Amino acid sequence: MTKPGDEYQEIVGAVARALDPGAIVNVGQWVEGPEGRRDMDVEVRGTLNGQPRFVLIECKDWRRPVGIKEIDALDSKRGDLGAHEAIIYSNSGFTDDALRKARRVDIGACSALKAGDGRIRLAFYRQLVAKRLSVDRWFP
């Protein structure tokens, strides 16, 4: 059974695959952490300068902007799971406090947008355009 947000996780996973075609990208995995099972929305494993790299991505398909509490939770999860990097994606944006905290603790705050998707509820603070990057289709 799918849960709300699964489609958004798949979209973010498709973006991660497009950004790093050589990486292993898993979506919706459960892993064992120090306090029990933890949900990893998107896991990206690859190498950087010949060294193994693990990027943990959290996805929020919400009606309201992501707040500081979710940044704190991702920072904790990053430590628990031993991720080298953490990124949080939201289709509804972020509060100013959340963005300040994310910058301070080095967590990326991003949005993945699907053309024609009416659930997109965000305002752009800064836009990053990757040349020649397009996800034309994805398979849930």
Side-chain angles (χ1 to χ4, degrees), residues 92-107:
S92 58
F94 301 88
T95 65
D96 289 340
D97 289 344
L99 289 172
R100 275 192 299 278
K101 176 72 181 245
R103 275 190 297 273
R104 187 171 65 77
V105 297
D106 199 25
I107 290 177

Side-chain angles (χ1 to χ4, degrees), residues 102-119:
R103 275 190 297 273
R104 187 171 65 77
V105 297
D106 199 25
I107 290 177
C110 303
S111 294
L113 310 176
K114 179 180 171 186
D117 191 336
R119 295 174 302 164

Side-chain angles (χ1 to χ4, degrees), residues 57-133:
I57 302 175
E58 191 79 9
C59 303
K60 300 299 181 191
D61 181 17
W62 290 358
R63 295 189 180 277
R64 62 176 173 77
V66 169
I68 197 168
K69 181 173 78 170
E70 288 73 36
I71 304 300
D72 286 337
L74 181 54
D75 192 30
S76 175
K77 186 187 278 189
R78 170 178 52 187
D80 285 352
L81 299 180
H84 297 99
E85 294 179 49
I87 303 170
I88 188 165
Y89 276 78
S90 168
N91 71 342
S92 58
F94 301 88
T95 65
D96 289 340
D97 289 344
L99 289 172
R100 275 192 299 278
K101 176 72 181 245
R103 275 190 297 273
R104 187 171 65 77
V105 297
D106 199 25
I107 290 177
C110 303
S111 294
L113 310 176
K114 179 180 171 186
D117 191 336
R119 295 174 302 164
I120 298 168
R121 296 169 288 280
L122 62 92
F124 287 96
Y125 293 97
R126 180 175 37 170
Q127 186 172 359
L128 169 70
V129 178
K131 293 181 181 182
R132 297 187 181 116
L133 171 63

Side-chain angles (χ1 to χ4, degrees), residues 7 10 32 39 63 105 137:
E7 182 181 9
E10 292 294 340
E32 203 59 40
D39 180 20
R63 295 189 180 277
V105 297
R137 29 180 239 188

